[in-house]
């Protein structure tokens, strides 16, 4: 996955637009216009704050179905994503929760979005919605059938879930990339708002062998500097909301503060690498 080609930077910050409940969900409010208006406000706030991309997900549709969502969800998300792509000039991704990767890929291919997030691409995870099995075979064949070049970012040992068996992180990352054919991997903490630890990020990056590794949850202004020393990018939502509350809208001031903190970390890492490179050069005697 060429991050610079998609995001114009090797270390992208991707902000999340959490859609209000969609048609057929338990908390659907009856107005798609209200959902659309909120999504447009959040996408605008993210763009104004300086993120490098956005990802749209049906976050407030919980409780989620574990596999195929209702066709009304697909239709609504297609309309919303297309509207947002006309509103902000940023790369856009799609995550259809809990794990409807095929619908996400279909939407992205039709509206020419750049990437999708897949919560379980390989393996089996026990979740609040039941057992979710990855189906990389079906997804990759479908991408080929569509003639699509949509990039696939896959979670490794996804949050709000536990794996069946006890795979270690290194093996899980390698299988997601080498057997699942993910274009990038995502590492989260145990739940929304919980960050991965630095040691796990470093293990994931080593196992990925050049495939991009994203922070998938829990990044904020206080920890992003440390986390970005290991990761290639971050997907961020909760800490960008007003007062840091998940139900609140995006706060553009929080976005700009987060982006600035992330950029400072990346710049310091680049300077450190340059310093080490210069110091390792032996001058002729």
């Amino acid at each position: 996955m060429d991050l610079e080609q998609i995001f114009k930077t090797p270390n992208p910050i991707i902000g999340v637009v959490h859609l209000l409940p969609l048609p057929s969900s338990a908390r659907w409010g009856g107005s798609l216009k209200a959902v659309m208006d909120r999504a447009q406000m959040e996408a605008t706030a993210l763009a104004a704050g300086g993120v490098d991309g956005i990802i749209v997900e049906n976050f407030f549709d919980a409780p989620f179905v574990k596999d195929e969502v209702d066709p009304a969800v697909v239709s609504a998300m297609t309309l919303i994503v297309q509207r947002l792509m006309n509103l902000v000039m940023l790369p856009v991704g799609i995550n259809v929760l809990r794990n409807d990767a095929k619908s996400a890929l279909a939407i992205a291919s039709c509206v020419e979005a750049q990437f999708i997030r897949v919560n379980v691409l390989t393996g089996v995870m026990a979740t609040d919605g039941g057992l979710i099995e990855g189906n990389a075979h079906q997804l990759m064949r479908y991408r080929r059938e569509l003639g699509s070049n949509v990039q696939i970012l896959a979670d490794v040992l996804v949050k709000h879930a536990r794996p069946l068996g006890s795979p270690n992180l290194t093996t899980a990352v390698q299988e997601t990339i080498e057997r699942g054919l993910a274009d990038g991997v995502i590492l989260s903490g145990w739940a929304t708002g919980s960050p991965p630890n630095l040691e796990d990020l470093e293990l994931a990056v080593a196992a990925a062998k050049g495939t991009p590794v994203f922070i998938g949850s829990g990044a904020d202004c206080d920890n992003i500097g440390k986390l970005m020393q290991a990761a290639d990018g971050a997907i961020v939502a909760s800490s960008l909301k007003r007062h840091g509350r998940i139900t609140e809208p995006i706060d553009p001031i929080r976005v700009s503060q987060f982006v600035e903190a992330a950029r400072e970390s990346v710049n310091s890492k680049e300077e450190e690498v340059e310093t080490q490179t210069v110091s390792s050069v032996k001058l002729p005697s």
Side-chain angles (χ1 to χ4, degrees):
M1 183 177 187
D2 190 334
L3 297 180
E4 289 198 67
Q5 182 178 8
I6 297 173
F7 299 101
K8 312 308 179 188
T9 174
N11 302 102
I13 303 301
I14 303 172
V16 184
V17 173
H18 284 155
L19 298 178
L20 294 177
L22 296 173
S24 78
S25 72
R27 294 177 288 182
W28 162 237
S31 172
L32 190 58
K33 181 180 184 301
V35 180
M36 186 83 75
D37 289 346
R38 167 77 170 250
Q40 290 181 137
M41 180 178 66
E42 295 208 335
T44 301
L46 289 168
V51 300
D52 304 300
I54 63 174
I55 186 165
V56 183
E57 59 181 44
N58 55 323
F59 181 83
F60 290 111
D61 278 358
F64 305 112
V65 296
K66 66 178 183 179
D67 39 44
E68 293 183 8
V69 298
D70 190 271
V73 173
V74 179
S75 299
M77 291 189 72
T78 303
L79 288 172
I80 293 167
V81 171
Q82 190 166 42
R83 179 74 62 86
L84 298 186
M85 291 181 68
N86 290 329
L87 181 68
V88 297
M89 298 297 105
L90 290 172
V92 174
I94 299 161
N95 186 15
V96 181
L97 298 166
R98 178 70 158 107
N99 201 54
D100 194 348
K102 190 174 182 180
S103 288
L105 183 61
I107 297 169
S109 299
C110 287
V111 302
E112 297 185 346
Q114 285 84 358
F115 62 100
I116 65 171
R117 180 176 184 173
V118 182
N119 291 164
V120 183
L121 182 65
T122 59
V124 182
M125 302 293 287
T127 76
D128 59 297
L131 296 179
I132 297 180
E133 297 184 34
N135 198 338
H137 170 77
Q138 180 194 60
L139 185 64
M140 296 306 174
R141 283 175 59 89
Y142 190 50
R143 182 167 68 169
R144 187 184 67 184
E145 288 173 8
L146 293 176
S148 171
N149 62 355
V150 171
Q151 299 291 282
I152 295 171
L153 304 182
D155 282 88
V156 175
L157 305 179
V158 69
K159 59 189 175 182
H160 297 289
R162 293 291 180 270
L164 292 193
S166 303
N168 64 58
L169 180 59
T170 295
T171 300
V173 170
Q174 290 173 341
E175 292 197 342
T176 301
I177 296 169
E178 296 171 8
R179 298 171 69 85
L181 303 184
D183 300 301
V185 295
I186 302 168
L187 193 65
S188 300
W190 65 273
T192 299
S194 172
N197 64 56
L198 185 60
E199 292 75 17
D200 284 347
L201 272 173
E202 290 171 341
L203 277 175
V205 169
K209 299 177 182 176
T211 296
V213 176
F214 288 83
I215 302 157
S217 68
D220 57 34
C221 280
D222 295 328
N223 64 24
I224 188 62
K226 180 172 68 173
L227 295 176
M228 285 297 286
Q229 292 298 309
D232 297 297
I235 300 171
V236 58
S238 305
S239 66
L240 305 184
K241 303 292 187 80
R242 291 176 189 167
H243 313 296
R245 296 174 185 165
I246 196 69
T247 55
E248 293 290 319
I250 296 289
D251 182 343
I253 295 176
R254 280 178 168 259
V255 179
S256 59
Q257 291 171 340
F258 181 91
V259 170
E260 183 179 356
R263 294 282 178 266
E264 288 178 358
S265 173
V266 170
N267 291 338
S268 66
K269 181 169 69 172
E270 290 174 350
E271 290 173 1
E272 182 179 343
V273 170
E274 289 176 2
T275 301
Q276 291 174 347
T277 302
V278 170
S279 63
S280 65
V281 176
K282 292 183 179 181
L283 296 175
S285 55

